[in-house]
């Protein structure tokens, strides 16, 4: 199985028939910035990722799978850390809090496997 591309922004733009400057205008950035995002020399900003989802009709995690995966792994790590801190406290943590953290970890783990 081949590794997923870090960004599908370039291929989606070409498939759409829109020029770099047209997509840049839709996203509210200049063509030079779009070029950097397409060439992977710059990480996407949240505004760009959401904008690309709106323009191309594909979820952010499909347009920028590597970026999404990195963020997802960061959130999972934070949820694990918070879960550990909550469990280690002398007072018993609220069951709802631990359940929420467990759900975040489980949900993210399931989507990570699907990428």
């Amino acid at each position: 199985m081949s590794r997923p591309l870090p960004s599908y922004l370039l291929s989606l733009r070409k498939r759409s028939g829109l020029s770099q400057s047209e997509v840049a205008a839709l996203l509210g950035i200049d063509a030079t910035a779009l070029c950097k995002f397409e060439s992977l020399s710059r990480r996407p900003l949240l505004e760009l990722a959401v904008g690309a989802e709106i323009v191309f009709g594909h979820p952010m995690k499909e347009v920028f799978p590597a970026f999404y995966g990195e963020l997802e792994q960061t959130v999972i790590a934070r949820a694990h850390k918070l879960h550990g801190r909550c469990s280690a406290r002398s007072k018993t943590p609220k069951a709802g809090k631990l359940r929420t953290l467990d759900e975040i970890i489980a949900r993210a783990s399931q989507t990570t496997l699907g990428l």
Side-chain angles (χ1 to χ4, degrees), residues 9 22-29 34 47-53 55-56:
L9 184 60
E22 290 167 335
V23 170
L26 289 169
L27 296 174
I29 59 176
L34 183 63
E47 185 176 308
L48 172 76
V50 173
E53 182 174 320
V55 170
F56 299 113

Side-chain angles (χ1 to χ4, degrees), residues 8-18 56 58:
Y8 292 104
L9 184 60
L10 176 63
S11 60
L12 288 169
R13 180 182 60 77
K14 287 186 174 188
R15 196 175 330 153
S16 73
L18 295 170
F56 299 113
H58 291 274

Side-chain angles (χ1 to χ4, degrees), residues 3 22 34 44 63-64 66 68 75 84 94 96 98 113-114:
R3 207 169 140 232
E22 290 167 335
L34 183 63
V63 180
F64 300 103
Y68 186 92
V75 171
K94 292 182 179 177
L98 292 177
L113 295 175

Side-chain angles (χ1 to χ4, degrees), residues 37 47 82 86 109:
F37 293 122
E47 185 176 308
L82 184 56
C86 290
S109 297

Side-chain angles (χ1 to χ4, degrees), residues 65-98:
F67 176 65
Y68 186 92
E70 287 175 21
L71 290 174
E72 187 174 56
Q73 290 303 313
T74 300
V75 171
I76 292 170
R78 289 174 183 158
H80 278 290
K81 188 175 181 178
L82 184 56
H83 191 288
R85 280 197 320 244
C86 290
S87 297
R89 289 188 180 144
S90 58
K91 291 182 180 179
T92 306
K94 292 182 179 177
K97 184 184 294 189
L98 292 177

